[in-house]
Amino acid sequence: MADWAAFTGITGVVLVLLLVLSHLTQSTFADVDSQTDSGSDSDGAEGIDADATGSGLDATTDADEPDPDLLPDADAFENSAGADTNVGSRADDRSRRTDERPNGGQRVGLENGSAYSGRHSRGPGDDAIDPGDLSTGMLLANVALSQGLFALVLLGAVIYTGVPADALGIEFSVPYLRQGLVLGTGAGLVLYVANELGAAAATRLGFDHDEELRELLAPDSLASWLVLLLGVLPIIAGFEELLFRAAIIGAVSTGFGVSPWALAVVSSLAFAVGHGMQGSVGVVVTGLLGFVLAAIFVVSGSFLVVVVAHYLINALEFAVHEGLDLEWANGLER
């Protein structure tokens, strides 16, 4: 017989740890941003002071006039300008692979020896770790490791407490697999469009929408894209649906007879809080998205449907925004 109380307790511990980790990550980004703003203000002040000293503009004399014979030939200058233009056009092709960071930093290719040019200068007294100083691979590995460990804990709890698979919305049959892939794909496409439109509409109303984390995780090579699409995003979708839908809604409603719709509200609120990194828009839109996924889980009774839908939403966001550099919903933000 399943030990529902033990499984619910373990699920609660995993949820709390996840929310604490999310809060710490959010605080780290906020600390780094505040340090960046302070550094920018300081640099600006120093620049003003330096200009105020009059360091040579008025001291120019006739002796400083350049020798006309030493000036570059006009034709040579034109050739040089033409070469620079060609270089610039070639650089435009490469610039699509470089993400502008919100605080002025730029991610550069790994072939340049560093995954990121710093988003701010860290002094000897800085204790916070700037996420922008980490390579894309390190960030992807961190996400996959943390979410993967949480997923293993939950799966271990399922086995240890004897929770049946059907309580989690899991079956082992061909019809179940077919239903999950078909319904999940359809739901994922619809929810992706709704998610983009909702975020754009909320931004237009004045709410903030922070996409820094997604930009930091954006792949910068084919190998990184494969790791993201085939490894990290499936882990994220699988774990979050296992926790927020299968465990909190499916297992608790089955074991204790609680209304799955009431649990859907609770799980959606927790789902929204866990995405605080995305700003107020992200919290609201993610909360609504979480409730829709919860409703799909309750109605279909399928864990696979919501996993496929969740994966497609995340994968399309990365592919469209970071891969294709396409902001098709931006018109609604104006």
Side-chain angles (χ1 to χ4, degrees), residues 37-234:
D37 294 339
S38 299
S40 299
D41 294 341
S42 175
D43 292 342
E46 291 174 1
I48 293 174
D49 291 339
D51 291 339
T53 60
S55 57
L57 288 180
D58 295 330
T60 304
T61 64
D62 292 341
D64 296 325
E65 292 294 329
D67 188 343
D69 295 334
L70 299 180
L71 292 175
D73 183 70
D75 294 335
F77 178 79
E78 291 177 359
N79 292 337
S80 175
D84 289 342
T85 302
N86 293 334
V87 171
S89 64
R90 290 193 299 268
D92 288 340
D93 295 334
R94 294 194 300 269
S95 66
R96 292 180 59 84
R97 303 183 60 84
T98 304
D99 296 323
E100 289 293 340
R101 300 301 166 193
N103 294 308
Q106 259 186 350
R107 185 158 61 90
V108 297
L110 293 177
E111 65 273 13
N112 293 334
S114 174
Y116 295 91
S117 59
R119 289 173 52 227
H120 76 291
S121 299
R122 288 171 52 80
D126 292 341
D127 295 329
I129 298 176
D130 183 357
D133 292 337
L134 303 178
S135 69
T136 302
M138 294 176 65
L139 289 169
L140 291 175
N142 178 66
V143 172
L145 182 61
S146 59
Q147 303 249 325
L149 287 176
F150 282 140
L152 289 177
V153 170
L154 278 182
L155 290 175
V158 170
I159 297 173
Y160 177 76
T161 59
V163 172
D166 58 355
L168 302 171
I170 299 174
E171 295 180 12
F172 302 96
S173 66
V174 174
Y176 172 81
L177 179 62
R178 185 184 303 115
Q179 178 200 45
L181 293 177
V182 173
L183 294 183
T185 299
L189 293 175
V190 172
L191 290 178
Y192 162 72
V193 174
N195 187 52
E196 293 287 328
L197 294 177
T203 301
R204 182 173 184 176
L205 294 176
F207 296 96
D208 66 298
H209 191 196
D210 193 342
E211 298 176 345
E212 183 177 2
L213 182 59
R214 190 190 68 205
E215 292 170 351
L216 287 174
L217 292 174
D220 50 14
S221 66
L222 177 59
S224 296
W225 273 107
L226 292 176
V227 169
L228 176 71
L229 296 177
L230 302 181
V232 177
L233 293 186

